[in-house]
C-alpha cells in the first residue's frame, strides 16, 4: 500500500498526534466553547460528529449539514484543523464543500464494504487524510480491506483508528481492546499510522488515562479523545467525555517512551499479560452468564444445582490437559474449583429468587 504522511502543515511529528472534540456537534455554542478551550490547551485538530450512526433509533442522530458551518467557524476562529465522520457519498461531498480537513470512517461503516466503496468512489481525486476505524467485529482483513478500497481510489494519507471491538457479555470496557489486532495490523502495514480511541474503547472517562498510556506504550502514533465543555450534559456518549481541562491534565501525565528504550520489551510483555487477564475476565463473565442460564433451566425443571458427576468430569479433564499444557494439575484443579464454586453460588441465587 502506497502511503503518505497524514500530518498536515504545521502539525508536529512528536507522539502523540492528538485529535479532540465532542462526540457530536450539538449547538453552535457548545462547539465554539469546546473548541476555544481545546485550542487554549494547544490541541491542533478538532473532532465533532455531524452525522451520528446510532445503534438504536431515537438517540441523537447528529445535527447534520447545519453543523458544518460551525466547524468552519472553529477553523476560522481557532486555527485548528477540523475532522468529522463520513458514512455516505453525500457526507463526503458536504464535508469537502465545508472545507473539513480530515475525514474518518466509523466502525459501523468500515464493517460494510458497499458503504466503504461508496465513500472511496466519492473521494476519487481528492487529497485528504482519511482515518479508518476498525470494524465493530474483530476482523483484521475487513479493516485492511476498507483501507485498501480508499487507497485504491488514490488516497495515500491514511491512518487506522483502533476503537475496540463489540462483545455480547458484560464487561469493563465498552469495546474490548483486543490489542493483538492493532499489533498485527502494525506488523502487516508497518508504515500505517495507528491512532487509539480510548473514549470508545473505555466508554467511561475513568479508563481514558490508562488506555492512552497503554496505546503510547504500544508505540501508537496518536490519540483521538472525546472532549466536551459540559460532558455530563452531552447529547451522546456523555459518560466517556472529558472537559478540555481534564484532557489536558491526562495528556500532561503521559509517559512517551522511545522505541529503542530497553524497558520497551518489558512493557510490551506486560501489555500482553494485561490483555490475557482481560480475556480471562471476559471468558469468566461469559461462563457465569451461561451458568445462570443453566440455573434458570434447573429451576424450571426442578433439578438440583449440584450434579456431582458432571463436576468431577470437568475437574479430571482439565487436570489431564494441564499436564499437556505445562501446568501443574493441582493448580488447575484449584482454579476450576473456585470457578465452579462461584457458578454454584450464582445458580443458587437464581433458584431462590
Ligand atoms: C464516534 O467517533 O463518535 C463514533 C461514532 O465512533 P465509532 O464509529 O468508533 O463507534
Ligand atoms: Mn462517540
Amino acid at each position: 500500500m502506497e502511503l503518505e504522511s497524514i500530518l498536515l502543515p504545521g502539525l508536529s511529528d512528536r507522539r502523540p498526534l492528538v485529535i479532540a472534540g465532542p462526540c457530536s456537534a450539538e449547538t453552535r455554542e457548545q462547539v465554539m466553547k469546546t473548541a476555544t478551550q481545546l485550542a487554549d490547551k494547544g490541541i491542533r485538530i478538532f473532532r465533532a460528529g455531524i452525522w451520528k450512526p446510532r445503534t438504536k433509533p431515537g438517540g441523537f442522530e447528529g445535527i447534520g449539514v447545519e453543523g458544518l458551518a460551525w466547524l468552519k467557524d472553529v477553523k476560522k476562529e481557532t486555527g485548528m484543523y477540523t475532522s468529522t465522520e463520513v458514512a455516505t457519498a453525500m457526507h463526503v461531498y458536504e464535508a469537502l464543500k465545508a472545507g473539513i480537513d480530515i475525514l474518518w470512517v466509523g466502525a459501523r461503516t468500515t464493517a460494510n464494504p458497499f458503504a466503504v466503496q461508496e465513500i472511496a468512489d466519492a473521494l476519487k481525486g481528492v487529497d485528504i487524510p482519511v482515518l479508518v476505524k476498525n470494524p465493530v467485529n474483530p476482523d483484521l482483513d475487513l479493516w485492511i480491506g476498507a483501507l485498501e478500497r480508499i487507497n485504491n481510489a488514490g488516497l495515500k494519507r491514511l491512518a487506522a483508528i483502533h476503537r475496540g471491538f463489540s462483545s455480547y457479555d458484560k464487561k469493563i470496557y465498552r469495546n474490548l481492546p483486543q490489542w493483538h489486532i492493532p499489533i498485527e495490523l502494525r506488523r502487516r502495514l508497518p508504515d500505517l499510522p495507528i491512532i487509539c480511541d480510548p473514549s470508545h474503547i473505555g466508554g467511561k472517562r475513568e479508563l481514558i488515562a490508562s488506555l492512552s498510556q497503554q496505546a503510547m506504550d504500544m508505540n501508537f502514533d496518536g490519540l483521538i479523545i472525546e472532549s466536551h465543555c459540559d460532558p455530563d450534559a452531552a447529547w451522546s456518549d456523555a459518560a466517556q467525555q472529558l472537559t478540555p481541562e481534564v484532557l489536558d491534565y491526562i495528556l500532561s501525565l503521559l509517559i512517551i517512551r522511545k522505541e529503542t528504550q530497553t524497558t520497551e520489551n518489558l512493557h510490551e510483555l506486560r501489555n500482553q499479560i494485561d490483555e490475557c487477564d482481560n480475556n480471562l475476565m471476559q471468558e469468566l463473565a461469559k461462563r457465569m452468564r451461561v451458568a445462570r442460564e443453566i440455573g434458570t433451566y434447573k429451576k424450571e425443571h426442578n433439578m438440583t444445582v449440584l450434579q456431582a458427576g458432571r463436576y468431577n468430569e470437568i475437574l479430571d479433564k482439565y487436570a489431564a490437559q494441564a499436564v499437556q499444557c505445562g501446568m501443574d494439575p493441582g493448580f488447575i484443579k484449584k482454579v476450576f474449583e473456585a470457578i465452579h464454586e462461584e457458578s454454584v453460588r450464582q445458580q443458587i441465587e437464581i433458584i431462590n429468587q
Side-chain angles (χ1 to χ4, degrees), residues 133-134 143 161-166 171-179 182 194-205 207-208 210-212 214-215 220 223-226 237 240 278:
K133 288 198 163 196
N134 65 257
W143 194 1
I161 299 178
H162 168 233
R163 49 78 79 196
F165 302 88
S166 296
K171 59 215 166 201
I172 306 158
Y173 299 114
R174 176 177 174 187
N175 292 299
L176 288 176
Q178 307 222 50
W179 295 101
I194 305 181
I195 295 168
C196 182
D197 176 345
S199 307
H200 290 90
I201 294 176
K204 332 185 210 342
R205 58 181 70 101
L207 294 174
I208 290 172
S210 60
L211 284 165
S212 301
Q214 215 172 339
F220 279 31
L223 297 168
I224 178 166
I225 302 183
E226 287 188 342
D237 291 351
Q240 71 196 32
N278 279 321

Side-chain angles (χ1 to χ4, degrees), residues 8-136:
L8 293 167
L11 294 178
S12 157
D13 60 359
R14 281 220 315 270
R15 291 195 306 140
L17 174 75
V18 177
I19 304 172
C23 177
S24 306
E26 299 162 4
T27 65
R28 189 175 191 286
E29 195 194 3
Q30 167 253 5
V31 167
M32 294 313 298
K33 194 169 168 190
T34 307
T36 312
Q37 292 176 359
L38 287 169
D40 283 348
K41 299 291 183 194
I43 303 294
R44 303 293 320 277
I45 309 173
F46 186 72
R47 66 149 280 159
I50 293 289
W51 301 280
K52 301 302 297 179
R54 307 315 298 180
T55 300
K56 285 186 185 168
F60 176 53
E61 301 202 320
I63 200 74
V65 174
E66 183 190 349
L68 290 170
W70 309 336
L71 295 187
K72 253 181 159 167
D73 292 344
V74 165
K75 195 170 164 168
K76 203 165 75 197
E77 288 181 28
T78 69
M80 274 192 280
Y81 287 115
T82 56
S83 63
T84 200
E85 172 174 347
V86 289
T88 67
M90 186 277 276
H91 296 165
V92 171
Y93 297 132
E94 293 294 344
L96 293 177
K97 200 165 79 188
I100 302 294
D101 302 287
I102 298 170
L103 305 176
W104 83 79
V105 177
R108 291 158 195 79
T109 308
T110 307
N112 178 352
F114 291 125
V116 175
Q117 193 57 53
E118 179 184 319
I119 293 168
D121 292 342
L123 282 169
K124 252 186 201 132
V126 183
D127 181 23
I128 188 171
V130 180
L131 319 177
V132 179
K133 288 198 163 196
N134 65 257
V136 282

